[in-house]
Amino acid sequence: MKVMEGIAMAVTRIILVGSALAAFRDAVTMPIIAFILLAIFFLGLIYQLFSENISIIGILSIFSIIIYFSGHLLIGGYNGMSLALFIFGILFIVIGLTMTGGFTFMTGIVLLLASILLVSGNLILSFLYFLIIVLLAILEWVIFVKNKKRKIPFLNRLILTDATDAESGYTSFDDRSYLLGETAVTVTPLRPSGTIRYDDQRIDAVAEGSYIAGNVRVKVIHVEGTRVVVRPMED
């Protein structure tokens, strides 16, 4: 008798689980719910792109696409390829956002789109969803870029944004701007180029005019990179 009761309870549980899964499947595959889940995913993903760290909205977007995909798989048209594309797509997106950057992220997006199209079973409806979502995504992108002046953090790993000018503390190896206004002595005549001596340094220089004799005190009046222009000192 107890064995029969146990079997009955197990069957009841299976029926309840099956009913719950069927209700979940029917809800997720409703066109409006499917559209909302896809919109949350793609719009949340764009929001995450403009965030420095993983945000709640970014996590919610991942959960929304998992729910979408799970519900459509329960329809019965199981596709091993779509599941593989989905798993690798999510993996590439997460890696792209957290570590490697743009190429991995975009690869994940392409794989995920392919998996959504394969599992949806309705290309026309999926295309309509994507069209509306793209319009919303463009609007969100414009708001972030134009109004909020935000930038995509992971692009900093792909693009060199640091300035390499003097104001940022960088100088070239042959920068001689320190000579400007200093006095030196010509070692050789400048016709108009030659050599001057500044302290213990021998430096190539150019006369302001056409000629300066040797052993003449000169003043540096212009420096541009390695080009040093001098004029004779007045007695």
Side-chain angles (χ1 to χ4, degrees):
M1 191 69 179
K2 291 183 178 180
V3 173
M4 295 299 295
E5 290 179 355
I7 294 174
M9 291 180 62
V11 171
T12 302
R13 289 174 182 173
I14 292 173
I15 294 173
L16 290 175
V17 171
S19 299
L21 289 176
F24 171 77
R25 176 201 63 200
D26 294 341
V28 170
T29 54
M30 289 175 59
I32 185 63
I33 300 299
F35 170 76
I36 291 173
L37 289 172
L38 288 176
I40 290 174
F41 170 68
F42 285 104
L43 298 181
L45 203 59
I46 292 176
Y47 182 91
Q48 181 60 57
L49 283 177
F50 287 93
S51 301
E52 293 288 345
N53 303 305
I54 298 296
S55 65
I56 296 298
I57 294 179
I59 296 173
L60 181 62
S61 70
I62 297 297
F63 275 117
S64 69
I65 196 62
I66 291 174
I67 293 172
Y68 172 89
F69 207 88
S70 301
H72 282 76
L73 282 178
L74 288 173
I75 293 176
Y78 178 82
N79 189 317
M81 178 62 72
S82 62
L83 181 60
L85 290 173
F86 171 76
I87 293 174
F88 281 105
I90 292 293
L91 183 63
F92 277 40
I93 288 172
V94 172
I95 294 174
L97 285 173
T98 56
M99 290 184 289
T100 58
F103 178 76
T104 306
F105 174 81
M106 293 308 300
T107 302
I109 290 293
V110 171
L111 293 176
L112 195 58
L113 287 175
S115 70
I116 291 172
L117 291 175
L118 284 175
V119 81
S120 67
N122 190 331
L123 294 179
I124 296 177
L125 191 59
S126 297
F127 178 78
L128 181 61
Y129 289 164
F130 288 142
L131 181 61
I132 298 173
I133 290 171
V134 165
L135 294 176
L136 294 174
I138 292 173
L139 178 61
E140 182 184 15
W141 190 284
V142 170
I143 290 174
F144 277 119
V145 174
K146 297 295 184 181
N147 295 344
K148 296 184 178 295
K149 306 296 183 183
R150 289 196 185 182
K151 296 181 179 180
I152 300 178
F154 79 75
L155 288 181
N156 293 334
R157 296 194 289 271
L158 305 178
I159 302 172
L160 180 62
T161 56
D162 292 337
T164 55
D165 51 20
E167 289 77 6
S168 301
Y170 293 90
T171 57
S172 66
F173 181 79
D174 293 324
D175 180 30
R176 292 176 177 172
S177 58
Y178 65 93
L179 292 172
L180 187 62
E182 298 293 331
T183 59
V185 177
T186 58
V187 176
T188 65
L190 276 57
R191 301 188 178 92
S193 62
T195 304
I196 62 173
R197 185 177 64 252
Y198 174 74
D199 290 338
D200 294 329
Q201 301 179 57
R202 293 171 64 92
I203 300 169
D204 293 332
V206 177
E208 181 186 24
S210 60
Y211 176 80
I212 300 177
N215 199 29
V216 173
R217 294 186 67 215
V218 293
K219 181 177 182 179
V220 178
I221 60 171
H222 180 74
V223 177
E224 183 178 354
T226 59
R227 184 171 182 269
V228 179
V229 181
V230 298
R231 71 159 58 120
M233 295 282 293
E234 296 180 0
D235 293 334

